[in-house]
Amino acid sequence: MSRRQRLGGLLDAIGVVDGVKRARMAFGVSPFPVLTYHRIAPKDGSDPFDPDVIDATPQVFDEHVRMLARNFTLVGTREIRAHFMGTRSLPANAAMITFDDGYKSCLEVALPILRRYGARAVFFVSTGHVTERRLFWWDRTSYIVRQSKAAEIRLEYPEPIHIVRRPYDLQKVTTRLLRIIKDTYGLDVERFLTELAQAAGVPWSNEVDARLADDLLLTWDEVRALRDAGMDIESHTRWHRVLDTLTPAELEEELVGSREDLEAQLSDPVRAIAYPVGRGGDHRVAMAVARAGYDLGFSNATGINDFRSAMAPLSVRRAAVDAWVSDAVLRASMVVPNLTEVSPPRKTR
Ligand SMILES: [Zn+2]
């Protein structure tokens, strides 16, 4: 058990958590925690997709939402925008639940749980994947690594790479390959993944891709069902490209393209974005985000926002949730900021 888990359990057992929260409010400090989820599913290795995006099992998510609905006022993007514009302050105990990417489990698993507790959430969707039925690059990489029978994988693009595929260490192999996609400027992701499948000896085609994506990803009808249930739908770019690796033309397509896709599908203006793998940071990207019409941007920079400070609208911090985070630890982490580093950065998607 980690120090954080012990402390969280202790805080919970002696009832200090609510006391800490009240004390913080009495002193005028109102943290605004924003939690990030991706996929809610059993974490049992029963499918070949990336296990690192499974942040909670259905049971754990149920516990989280019950706790959040009981202790916080859950808000959407409209409320936080009004707060930044100065037209209306956020409630003192405001919090936000967010989901990135656009997994089918948002509708099939998360929505019924959110409804059970009268809770709401914001869903950031990568629009190209919904329209064209393509797996996300991390799930496609994970699938190829896990379906492969090869003892080693040799790649030439974007540079010569030799990977020994040890069956007991497949997530390490996946993580190494994902790092190339996250960090290579101007990478042709399709070429990289096509050559990876060839090198790994795994059959791949648009038909395979679409079949897998149909099992895993929301359709537009399902996105609209979330919206009709009172949830906010916002942008997570078009193809989930890491923004600071893109050329100016690619950057514009990801930012403007996804906003236009969503507005065409939902007939509502879209002004909020969650940055892929949380990286919206550099000045060039921030300028492009603002130019593309966004006024709210969500990063994966860990932490609770103190909205008494100058919390910048294009760099709202979020706290990643890990599958091991218990109700007690989560509750403690919402009020004690130094407990909030709940996810190592390698996991960001
Ligand atoms: Zn994402």
Side-chain angles (χ1 to χ4, degrees), residues 153-163 176-177 179-180 183-184 187 191-192 195:
I153 299 171
R154 286 179 190 276
L155 297 169
E156 295 303 323
Y157 178 80
E159 58 186 15
I161 300 154
H162 176 218
I163 291 175
R176 185 173 164 197
L177 292 162
R179 184 122 305 282
I180 295 167
D183 291 343
T184 307
L187 183 75
R191 176 181 169 190
F192 176 73
E195 293 184 11

Side-chain angles (χ1 to χ4, degrees), residues 38 53 100-101 124 126 136 138 236 240 274-278 300 318 348-349:
H38 301 78
V53 286
D100 282 5
D101 304 335
F124 296 99
S126 294
F136 299 119
W138 53 94
H236 198 39
H240 207 286
Y275 307 123
V277 312
N300 287 356
R318 299 188 292 174
T348 54
R349 300 286 186 268

Side-chain angles (χ1 to χ4, degrees), residues 30-32 83-84 89-94 305-311:
S30 300
F32 174 48
H83 176 83
F84 281 124
S89 291
L90 282 171
N93 61 339
N305 301 289
D306 175 359
F307 56 71
R308 288 194 319 168
S309 69
M311 185 175 123

